Amino acid sequence: MLLSILWDIDPEIFSLPINWWIFGTISIRWYGLLFALGFLLGYYIVEKMFKRDGVELEWLDKVFIYTMIATVVGARLGHVFFYGWEFYSQHPSEIIKIWHGGLASHGAAIGIITALWLYSKKVSKKPMLWIMDYVVIPVALAGCFIRLGNLMNSEIIGIQTHSNWGFEFIRASIYEPTAPRHPAQLYESICYLISFAILMFMYWKTNAKQYQGRLFGTFFVLIFSARFFIEFVKENQEAFEQGMLLNMGQLLSIPLILMGLFFLIRSYRISPQK
């Protein structure tokens, strides 16, 4: 007899009995809570690293703001342009309505890189790789929490499976709710948590931080390699992906993996920073 896990979690924790302008009734959802928790823990982690390395703590709030805004804006625009341009080009007012869902991790990656380039120019006056080697560590942890949020939303689900750990996503109404499926969100969350642990070990227990780009490169290789392979057990996110040899998530992951390999290899050919 095939065993499976019945997944019928309400994505909403509770609602507040008030209306807030165009946003409607305010509700507290697991996704938002986990998203915020990821950033708060990230702030704490970077603060510890800055103190260890004697970095000015006044830079911390700015890097937090730069990264948070870049993550949300980049992820939203990534979803708009990579996955939903056909719809959003006809309904531009929907682009700002992120509460309707639709964030793309590849867009977030591009947004964070862009924002931290600006941060390096305006605030730290240091090479961009200097701050990237710090930020990618908590970003890996944030990715773990965000994928758990996707799990609570019963979204980004996997294809059908005959494994005993398959999830029956009762609230994923666009798919057959009683068919056991790969919990792809959980796979990614675990991979991101492992990536976070590896990066933390490299930072605290090795001399990786002395070689600019090593942590940054490792992050991109680990995170987007995991994303590439897990896409094979995911349902397509958009109809246009049907019949593609590689889906959009995989096509976007390849250049980021190659970029990570470039900086990782480069880090072994440069002199250590004091």
Side-chain angles (χ1 to χ4, degrees):
M1 181 177 177
L2 182 66
L3 300 176
S4 60
I5 298 169
L6 191 67
W7 191 257
D8 191 22
I9 300 296
D10 189 342
E12 185 178 289
I13 305 174
F14 61 87
S15 295
L16 300 177
I18 56 175
N19 287 320
W20 187 29
W21 194 37
I22 64 173
F23 299 102
T25 302
I26 297 177
S27 62
I28 306 301
R29 301 172 67 90
W30 287 109
Y31 183 91
L33 179 63
L34 289 165
F35 192 101
L37 181 60
F39 274 98
L40 289 175
L41 288 175
Y43 184 96
Y44 173 78
I45 291 167
V46 176
E47 182 181 37
K48 291 293 184 183
M49 292 191 292
F50 273 20
K51 286 181 178 179
R52 180 213 185 198
D53 295 338
V55 179
E56 297 179 47
L57 289 182
E58 64 185 46
W59 289 356
L60 181 60
D61 289 339
K62 291 181 180 179
V63 75
F64 178 77
I65 293 170
Y66 272 72
T67 303
M68 185 172 61
I69 294 175
T71 299
V72 176
V73 174
R76 182 57 172 174
L77 293 180
H79 173 75
V80 169
F81 290 111
F82 298 149
Y83 292 97
W85 181 243
E86 183 176 352
F87 171 78
Y88 291 106
S89 62
Q90 302 299 317
H91 305 85
S93 64
E94 291 291 321
I95 293 176
I96 65 171
K97 299 179 181 180
I98 60 174
W99 55 92
H100 288 172
L103 299 173
S105 59
H106 297 92
I110 296 170
I112 290 171
I113 291 172
T114 303
L116 293 182
W117 175 80
L118 290 172
Y119 174 88
S120 299
K121 295 290 184 182
K122 303 288 187 181
V123 181
S124 71
K125 311 295 185 181
K126 292 177 177 286
M128 187 176 73
L129 287 176
W130 176 83
I131 190 60
M132 290 299 298
D133 281 338
Y134 283 108
V135 169
V136 292
I137 299 176
V139 166
L141 182 62
C144 167
F145 281 102
I146 288 169
R147 280 297 180 252
L148 288 177
N150 295 136
L151 179 64
M152 303 303 283
N153 280 346
S154 294
E155 60 190 2
I156 316 181
I157 67 176
I159 59 177
Q160 293 186 28
T161 178
H162 297 295
S163 62
N164 288 337
W165 60 82
F167 278 42
E168 294 182 32
F169 290 98
I170 303 302
R171 294 175 183 262
S173 58
I174 63 173
Y175 301 107
E176 171 56 54
T178 59
R181 295 179 176 277
H182 284 285
Q185 321 93 319
L186 190 57
Y187 297 164
E188 281 195 65
S189 182
I190 292 171
C191 286
Y192 296 167
L193 183 60
I194 293 172
S195 299
F196 167 72
I198 292 171
L199 292 167
M200 284 287 280
F201 176 83
M202 290 175 64
Y203 175 82
W204 290 101
K205 299 298 183 179
T206 75
N207 64 351
K209 185 64 181 68
Q210 296 178 26
Y211 297 87
Q212 284 191 359
R214 186 168 296 180
L215 292 167
F216 172 70
T218 302
F219 168 86
F220 270 77
V221 171
L222 290 175
I223 295 295
F224 290 104
S225 292
R227 175 69 185 271
F228 180 88
F229 287 108
I230 293 172
E231 288 293 323
F232 284 113
V233 296
K234 278 186 187 178
E235 289 285 0
N236 290 325
Q237 300 301 299
E238 299 294 338
F240 71 81
E241 295 178 294
Q242 192 66 34
M244 294 172 62
L245 179 62
L246 298 176
N247 65 23
M248 181 60 74
Q250 291 169 317
L251 293 175
L252 293 170
S253 293
I254 292 172
L256 296 178
I257 294 170
L258 294 175
M259 182 174 69
L261 284 171
F262 169 80
F263 284 105
L264 184 56
I265 294 170
R266 175 184 175 274
S267 73
Y268 285 95
R269 297 179 177 177
I270 61 176
S271 300
Q273 302 292 312
K274 294 181 180 181

